[in-house]
């Protein structure tokens, strides 16, 4: 064999059957070969297990899928290149022209954009309600056949809590699927509810370090199986190296999530007592209007703490610019703390009534609490709150 050939057919390293890598290798291969055409054909007919082309499936992404399904307490999972990829591919795969969706003002902006602007172009209609408006949900479900209800809990940014039991009961009775973007709550929460599909951005708590993007949809096999072909055709596949990084991040998921929640709880309490702050939104605070519901549904309340600055937009800018340990940028759930002002959030397309329902004001601040020392974060916040007063 000439060396030009050899570099394309390097020596194979096979591990003996009794010799195992403690960390699974990354299958950084797009293609997988069977020993014969006959076996390849059997695979393509769905008559045997294996891997063929990584846009459809890959051992490293599959390992991540099986782990996430187990964490969320469901049978199967599909991973995607980003959280928005999981949302868009799920919505595109599940809906047809003429069908109707119920969605909420208090949801991630790209989700609303996808429903309104993208699905709307293909003749999918929607009703936009407040997550607190259960009577409205009941009415909308009675008014017309509904394909699915898509919601979040806690919601972004003001941490309203969806009544998951009531929403899933109403949707089930009307024959609509429920899709819960569970990114804020994490994989270990809300699994006991009758939710059909869970969406996650793996960019957040799963990877934890803010250096990789990914998404997932999790549910029972009968729902996930038909989605696999659609997702492969839509093409937003997660790369195996990204899957490996997310698997690595998940090893510390529980430790990180709990530490971040504990710090968030302390920070929420401290903010609640500060003169510059008119209101704190954190489901773990007894003063949160839905604290009892949150305590029923969640074991931990998340690492997002939002609050209202009395001084409005100017105070919000002064506050965020004065912080030293919080980066002024999007995202959440990773080890570094982040801050977003209302002016940095989307939602400008909402009319005045919907903006009122979203509960975001000029002085709304969203913090994502990381893994820094809680006292250091508190000192930084105290300094910035003093600066916000001008
Ligand atoms: C609730 C929620 N869902 C989905 C996403 C999208 O995730 P990604 O950035 O991985 O596309 C985000 C991102 O902020 C989010 O907050």
């Amino acid at each position: 064999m000439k060396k030009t050939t050899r570099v394309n057919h390097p020596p194979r390293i096979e591990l003996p059957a009794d010799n195992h890598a403690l960390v699974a290798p990354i299958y950084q291969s797009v293609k997988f070969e069977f020993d014969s055409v006959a076996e390849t054909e059997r695979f393509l007919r769905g008559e045997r297990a294996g891997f063929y082309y990584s846009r459809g499936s890959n051992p490293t992404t599959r390992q991540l899928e099986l782990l996430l399904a187990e964490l969320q307490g469901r049978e199967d999972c599909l991973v995607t290149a980003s959280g928005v990829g999981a949302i868009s591919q799920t919505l595109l795969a599940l809906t047809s022209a003429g069908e109707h969706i119920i969605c909420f003002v208090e949801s991630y902006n790209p989700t609303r954009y996808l429903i309104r602007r993208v699905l709307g172009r293909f003749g999918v209609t929607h009703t936009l309600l407040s997550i607190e408006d259960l009577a409205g949900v009941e009415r909308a479900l009675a008014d017309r056949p509904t394909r699915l209800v898509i919601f979040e809990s806690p919601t972004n940014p003001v941490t309203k809590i969806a009544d998951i039991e009531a929403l899933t009961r109403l949707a089930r009775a009307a024959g609509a699927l429920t899709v819960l973007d569970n990114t804020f709550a994490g994989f270990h929460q809300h699994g006991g509810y009758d939710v059909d599909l869970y969406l996650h951005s793996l960019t957040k708590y799963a990877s934890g370090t803010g250096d990789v993007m990914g998404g997932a949809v999790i549910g029972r096999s009968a729902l996930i199986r038909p989605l696999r072909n659609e997702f492969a055709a839509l093409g937003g596949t997660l790369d195996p190296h990204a899957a490996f990084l997310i698997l690595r991040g998940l090893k510390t998921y529980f430790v990180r999530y709990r530490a971040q929640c504990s710090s968030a709880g302390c920070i929420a309490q401290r903010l609640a007592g500060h003169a510059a702050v008119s209101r704190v939104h954190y489901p773990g605070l007894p003063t949160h209007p839905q604290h009892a519901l949150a305590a029923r549904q969640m074991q931990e309340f998340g690492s997002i703490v939002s609050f209202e600055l009395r001084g409005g937009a100017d105070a919000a800018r002064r506050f965020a610019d004065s912080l030293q340990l919080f980066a002024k940028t999007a995202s959440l759930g990773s080890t570094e703390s982040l801050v977003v002002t209302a002016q940095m959030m989307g939602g400008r397309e909402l009319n005045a009534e919907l903006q009122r329902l979203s509960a975001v004001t000029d002085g709304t601040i969203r913090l994502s609490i990381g893994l820094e020392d809680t006292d250091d974060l508190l000192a930084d916040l105290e300094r910035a709150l003093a600066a916000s007063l001008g």
Side-chain angles (χ1 to χ4, degrees):
M1 196 188 286
K2 297 259 182 4
K3 286 182 180 168
T4 49
T5 304
R6 192 58 172 155
V7 290
N8 287 291
H9 297 266
R12 277 189 184 217
I13 304 295
E14 308 272 8
L15 286 188
D18 64 346
N19 181 203
H20 316 286
L22 274 192
V23 175
I26 314 173
Y27 285 89
Q28 192 70 48
S29 179
V30 172
K31 291 147 286 183
F32 296 84
E33 186 192 21
F34 294 94
D35 283 346
S36 68
V37 172
E39 285 307 303
T40 313
E41 288 176 358
R42 281 207 326 115
F43 171 81
L44 293 173
R45 287 196 298 269
E47 292 168 10
R48 62 157 292 169
F51 297 92
Y52 187 62
Y53 195 65
S54 284
R55 181 155 38 69
S57 193
N58 165 286
T60 309
T61 57
R62 189 65 188 141
Q63 186 180 31
L64 176 60
E65 287 173 352
L66 294 176
L67 175 59
L68 293 175
E70 201 172 320
L71 290 183
Q72 190 63 82
R74 290 298 185 276
E75 291 166 341
D76 207 354
C77 168
L78 280 165
V79 288
T80 54
S82 68
V84 162
I87 301 167
S88 63
Q89 295 189 172
T90 300
L91 289 174
L92 283 167
L94 287 178
T95 55
S96 305
E99 288 185 331
H100 173 247
I101 289 180
I102 296 177
C103 55
F104 298 95
V105 181
E106 306 91 337
S107 57
Y108 184 52
N109 287 317
T111 303
R112 286 202 314 273
Y113 180 93
L114 276 164
I115 293 170
R116 199 165 54 93
R117 302 289 291 274
V118 181
L119 296 186
R121 280 207 303 273
F122 301 117
V124 176
T125 60
H126 70 275
T127 301
L128 184 63
L129 297 166
S130 166
I131 194 67
E132 294 170 288
D133 185 7
L134 281 175
V137 172
E138 198 165 1
R139 265 196 311 278
L141 287 168
D143 271 359
R144 72 200 84 172
T146 295
R147 175 65 171 140
L148 61 90
V149 180
I150 182 164
F151 66 106
E152 295 165 28
S153 189
T155 65
N156 185 27
V158 297
T159 72
K160 290 188 194 176
I161 302 296
D163 186 335
I164 306 177
E165 194 280 322
L167 276 172
T168 52
R169 182 167 35 78
L170 292 172
R172 180 76 61 215
L177 292 172
T178 45
V179 182
L180 168 56
D181 183 335
N182 211 18
T183 300
F184 272 38
F187 308 94
H188 62 301
Q189 307 214 69
H190 299 156
Y193 289 91
D194 185 24
V195 171
D196 290 303
L197 291 168
Y198 295 86
L199 299 172
H200 284 275
S201 166
L202 306 179
T203 314
K204 312 289 158 36
Y205 292 108
S207 86
T209 39
D211 51 9
V212 61
M213 300 195 83
V217 52
I218 305 172
R220 59 184 178 278
S221 300
L223 275 178
I224 297 291
R225 204 178 307 114
L227 294 186
R228 186 170 290 281
N229 282 344
E230 302 263 326
F231 276 41
L234 289 165
T237 314
L238 188 70
D239 182 78
H241 190 257
F244 167 82
L245 290 174
I246 295 165
L247 279 161
R248 186 164 72 169
L250 281 167
K251 287 172 194 269
T252 55
Y253 165 75
F254 286 99
V255 183
R256 282 186 284 105
Y257 194 94
R258 288 185 179 139
Q260 287 171 253
C261 289
S262 155
S263 202
C266 294
I267 287 167
Q269 257 173 17
R270 182 73 68 88
L271 288 170
H274 199 284
V277 174
S278 61
R279 188 169 168 196
V280 178
H281 312 281
Y282 186 66
L285 285 184
T287 50
H288 187 289
Q290 294 164 299
H291 174 65
L293 178 62
R296 208 162 55 241
Q297 294 186 169
M298 307 175 81
Q299 302 96 60
E300 281 127 351
F301 300 107
S303 66
I304 295 294
V305 181
S306 297
F307 62 97
E308 306 295 322
L309 275 175
R310 288 188 202 283
D314 289 341
R317 275 190 208 98
R318 281 195 296 273
F319 169 79
D321 281 338
S322 307
L323 286 167
Q324 288 166 8
L325 296 178
F326 291 74
K328 294 177 279 298
T329 189
S331 202
L332 60 118
S334 46
T335 56
E336 66 283 338
S337 292
L338 310 172
V339 60
V340 181
T341 63
Q343 292 68 37
M344 294 162 70
M345 299 169 192
R348 262 163 279 286
E349 82 287 1
L350 298 175
N351 64 31
E353 171 58 7
L354 293 176
Q355 280 198 6
R356 188 188 63 75
L357 288 176
S358 80
V360 177
T361 74
D362 280 351
T364 303
I365 300 278
R366 190 190 83 175
L367 302 176
S368 172
I369 306 304
L371 277 180
E372 301 91 342
D373 184 86
T374 311
D375 289 338
D376 284 345
L377 293 178
L378 285 168
D380 198 26
L381 289 165
E382 292 279 358
R383 255 194 318 269
L385 285 169
S388 80
L389 297 171

